Amino acid sequence: MRNSKVFILPALLLLGSCFVAATIEASDDALKKSAVQIFTVIKRPNYYQPWEMGYQYNSGGSGFIVKGRRILTNAHVVSDQVYIQVKKAGDTKKYTAHVEHVAHDCEVAMLTVEDPAFFDGTIPVEFGPMPFQRDKVAAYGFPIGGNDLSITEGVVSRIEVQTYTHSRKDLLAIQTDAAINPGNSGGPVFKDGKLIGISFQSYSGSRVENTGYIVPVIIVERFLKDIGDGRHDGVPDLGIFWQKLESEALRKLYKLGPSQNGVLVTKVVYDSPAWNVLREGDILAAVDGIRIANDGTVPYRKSERLIFSHIVSQHQMGEEIALEIFRSGAPVKLAVKVKPFRSLVSGPYYDVRPTYFVFAGFVFLPLNFNYMDAWDWKDVDPRFKYFLEHVLPSENRRQVVLINEVLADDINIGYHKLKRAVVERINGVAIRDIRDVLDAVSKPQGDFHVIEIDHYSGSGGQSDYDGDAGTRVVVDAKATAKANEPILTRYRVPADRSDDLKP
């Protein structure tokens, strides 16, 4: 009898192994039927000459099918697209697809395919819960190096707030050692057959290895909730800069007791949700009733902690967020209603044409991230980097407006080499944003239009314009009215302004 038991046990284990293998194979086959390869034709705007478009090129990535006969992928896979095709894993036919919704801030886009035959034989993914560290995950996609579906496995190594390269926004991300390469972008990542996120970026270089990132399923679910009303409103931000309160001397300066923790508000961005609600010197102690530690983190599951901005990012635009602060040592309860706002140097932008205005041959445009990104970053004017990284918008300046170049004509002789000049005033009117330029040029100073630029325009080796050429640009008002149309015609500029500046 003892010997028979010895043989029966292995038989049971073998049978169990066969059953598990069959289950995994069936589950894997179902997951493959959700995978989609995406082929994108891209044409980006020219931010230096904003009435023109750049060259066309082909790109692509991965995606997956969700309920409702829709495809999810990364926003960067379809940004600035002019044509999209999709193909099911294991299929040979490509189908035309269209972007239905895109959220560049959180790196998620939804596509639709009009031909219902595309969805024949497909299985939509099932959403799962957030994974934990060391959980085993599998990334599905179509990376470079082959044409067929690729599946790579790894473990979750970290879950924390990271900077999304595509949007420059700080949001929750899952880090994994599963291989995520170009072409994987937009592909599903599964744990136990359930979606836990979307592959979207990875480190490259010799200092970091086996480090890929996943848009977490809770960010994907937030996106789906956002577009529930038929439009994407975006991920909110309080609009503050803050400092950790780990220094005991700093805590004493702000009259904090041993049990009073939080972060120091150092700046409040103009027109942001926190504007006229929070003040510099406030101690932000809690968000939605969740206490903030002196390092800026809040508790998240078991022993995990995240930067408190994650709580804010989970809200939808228009919702109220409860805040608890210490002001001059006294506890205060406040609320902010989250809304979109703009940095002084905003962007990056996708799927939109650049803003510009041409007057007397002077090409006016707002400084933004896309404009700077058109150059190698080591060649970007240091003034522009300073505006981007250190200067906040204000009531007196909501954008930095430039004269980017001059379309040479008799009307603007003496200024033909002027480039990248920051505009301060036009005809005595302070220029807060590009729309002020349109108003200002309608009111000349007597017989002239007078444009005042900063002292540094064209200096520092950034152009051929002499750095000591002055700060005044003056053109004849009557001659300008006659010169505008011929200049546009000669330089083949289709309109004197971008569509967003037209009445």
Side-chain angles (χ1 to χ4, degrees):
M1 290 294 292
R2 201 166 75 181
N3 286 342
S4 65
K5 288 181 180 179
V6 170
F7 286 102
I8 289 171
L9 183 57
L12 288 173
L13 289 175
L14 183 60
L15 180 63
S17 297
C18 290
F19 176 75
V20 171
T23 302
I24 292 174
E25 184 177 347
S27 174
D28 186 58
D29 187 56
L31 297 182
K32 288 179 179 178
K33 290 183 179 180
S34 72
V36 175
Q37 188 172 11
I38 300 175
F39 306 86
T40 316
V41 180
I42 293 174
K43 197 172 179 68
R44 302 194 189 280
N46 181 338
Y47 271 81
Y48 190 83
Q49 292 189 322
W51 52 87
E52 295 182 352
M53 296 293 289
Y55 63 89
Q56 177 177 302
Y57 64 95
N58 296 320
S59 185
S62 306
F64 55 96
I65 296 168
V66 295
K67 291 179 181 178
R69 295 196 164 195
R70 297 291 185 267
I71 300 168
L72 289 186
T73 185
N74 282 151
H76 80 257
V77 171
V78 297
S79 62
D80 294 311
Q81 58 80 28
V82 291
Y83 188 71
I84 302 175
Q85 288 182 300
V86 293
K87 186 176 72 172
K88 293 177 288 188
D91 200 358
T92 58
K93 182 178 179 180
K94 295 179 182 178
Y95 294 77
T96 301
H98 304 280
V99 176
E100 191 167 279
H101 296 283
V102 61
H104 293 291
D105 49 6
C106 64
E107 265 281 39
V108 185
M110 177 179 283
L111 310 183
T112 181
V113 179
E114 293 182 3
D115 190 340
F118 172 78
F119 296 96
D120 291 346
T122 63
I123 300 176
V125 303
E126 292 185 41
F127 286 40
M130 282 287 290
F132 289 87
Q133 276 186 314
R134 300 183 68 183
D135 279 352
K136 188 175 180 180
V137 297
Y140 285 56
F142 298 85
I144 58 174
N147 296 316
D148 291 337
L149 177 67
S150 167
I151 304 173
T152 57
E153 294 184 338
V155 298
V156 172
S157 50
R158 185 182 293 163
I159 299 175
E160 66 179 5
V161 173
Q162 292 277 353
T163 300
Y164 283 29
T165 301
H166 182 66
S167 63
R168 300 176 62 239
K169 198 167 184 68
D170 295 332
L171 295 172
L172 191 66
I174 300 170
Q175 182 180 317
T176 179
D177 64 355
I180 294 177
N181 295 302
N184 268 116
S185 292
V189 183
F190 298 104
K191 173 185 174 292
D192 298 331
K194 301 290 182 66
L195 182 83
I196 60 96
I198 307 174
S199 302
F200 79 112
Q201 64 187 35
S202 62
Y203 270 117
S204 61
S206 59
R207 296 185 63 185
V208 181
E209 295 181 356
N210 302 326
T211 304
Y213 291 97
I214 303 163
V215 178
V217 64
I218 59 173
I219 298 292
V220 179
E221 290 171 331
R222 191 209 165 281
F223 162 77
L224 295 175
K225 182 180 178 181
D226 187 345
I227 64 173
D229 60 356
R231 70 178 187 185
H232 171 250
D233 295 313
V235 180
D237 191 327
L238 284 180
I240 63 171
F241 290 81
W242 55 272
Q243 179 180 343
K244 296 179 181 180
L245 282 171
E246 297 174 320
S247 163
E248 193 59 37
L250 186 61
R251 290 172 49 78
K252 288 180 179 178
L253 176 66
Y254 285 93
K255 304 175 183 178
L256 294 177
S259 62
Q260 295 175 321
N261 300 317
V263 294
L264 174 66
V265 177
T266 56
K267 289 287 184 183
V268 181
V269 180
Y270 172 75
D271 204 34
S272 70
W275 182 252
N276 289 330
V277 179
L278 294 178
R279 304 174 189 169
E280 292 182 21
D282 284 345
I283 307 300
L284 181 58
V287 178
D288 284 343
I290 302 173
R291 314 307 299 181
I292 301 173
N294 292 327
D295 64 353
T297 64
V298 293
Y300 175 72
R301 303 187 317 181
K302 295 184 177 181
S303 60
E304 297 170 289
R305 300 191 69 85
L306 297 174
I307 295 298
F308 73 90
S309 63
H310 170 66
I311 301 174
V312 178
S313 68
Q314 285 300 98
H315 279 270
Q316 299 289 340
M317 290 292 184
E319 293 180 349
E320 278 199 348
I321 300 178
L323 305 178
E324 296 176 40
I325 68 169
F326 295 108
R327 182 172 287 169
S328 301
V332 180
K333 292 187 176 181
L334 302 169
V336 296
K337 190 172 184 178
V338 289
K339 63 174 184 177
F341 67 97
R342 190 170 62 187
S343 303
L344 182 68
V345 180
S346 55
Y349 292 111
Y350 305 96
D351 305 321
V352 294
R353 297 293 298 271
T355 299
Y356 74 90
F357 175 56
V358 180
F359 178 78
F362 298 97
V363 180
F364 295 90
L365 49 80
L367 177 65
N368 59 38
F369 184 88
N370 300 60
Y371 175 87
M372 297 170 66
D373 199 44
W375 278 273
D376 188 316
W377 277 86
K378 66 181 177 60
D379 297 325
V380 173
D381 192 312
R383 295 174 305 150
F384 298 167
K385 292 181 180 179
Y386 181 78
F387 282 130
L388 172 69
E389 297 169 3
H390 301 293
V391 185
L392 299 179
S394 67
E395 188 174 1
N396 297 323
R397 175 172 265 170
R398 297 188 285 264
Q399 290 179 321
V400 177
V401 177
L402 308 178
I403 296 176
N404 183 50
E405 63 173 336
V406 181
L407 307 180
D409 186 78
D410 289 346
I411 192 69
N412 48 47
I413 286 176
Y415 310 109
H416 292 174
K417 294 182 179 181
L418 181 63
K419 295 180 184 295
R420 297 182 281 283
V422 176
V423 180
E424 303 286 356
R425 281 171 295 277
I426 297 178
N427 295 329
V429 176
I431 302 303
R432 298 167 299 176
D433 58 33
I434 187 95
R435 291 186 177 276
D436 284 342
V437 176
L438 278 68
D439 295 334
V441 298
S442 66
K443 304 168 186 175
Q445 287 186 328
D447 295 332
F448 303 100
H449 290 289
V450 180
I451 304 170
E452 299 177 52
I453 58 178
D454 70 345
H455 279 278
Y456 305 101
S457 298
S459 63
Q462 296 299 315
S463 75
D464 295 328
Y465 194 63
D466 295 330
D468 58 355
T471 60
R472 297 294 188 277
V473 174
V474 181
V475 294
D476 184 275
K478 290 182 180 179
T480 298
K482 298 178 182 179
N484 281 334
E485 195 61 38
I487 291 174
L488 297 177
T489 300
R490 188 183 323 132
Y491 288 91
R492 298 180 182 179
V493 181
D496 70 336
R497 67 197 71 187
S498 53
D499 288 343
D500 60 320
L501 296 181
K502 293 178 181 178

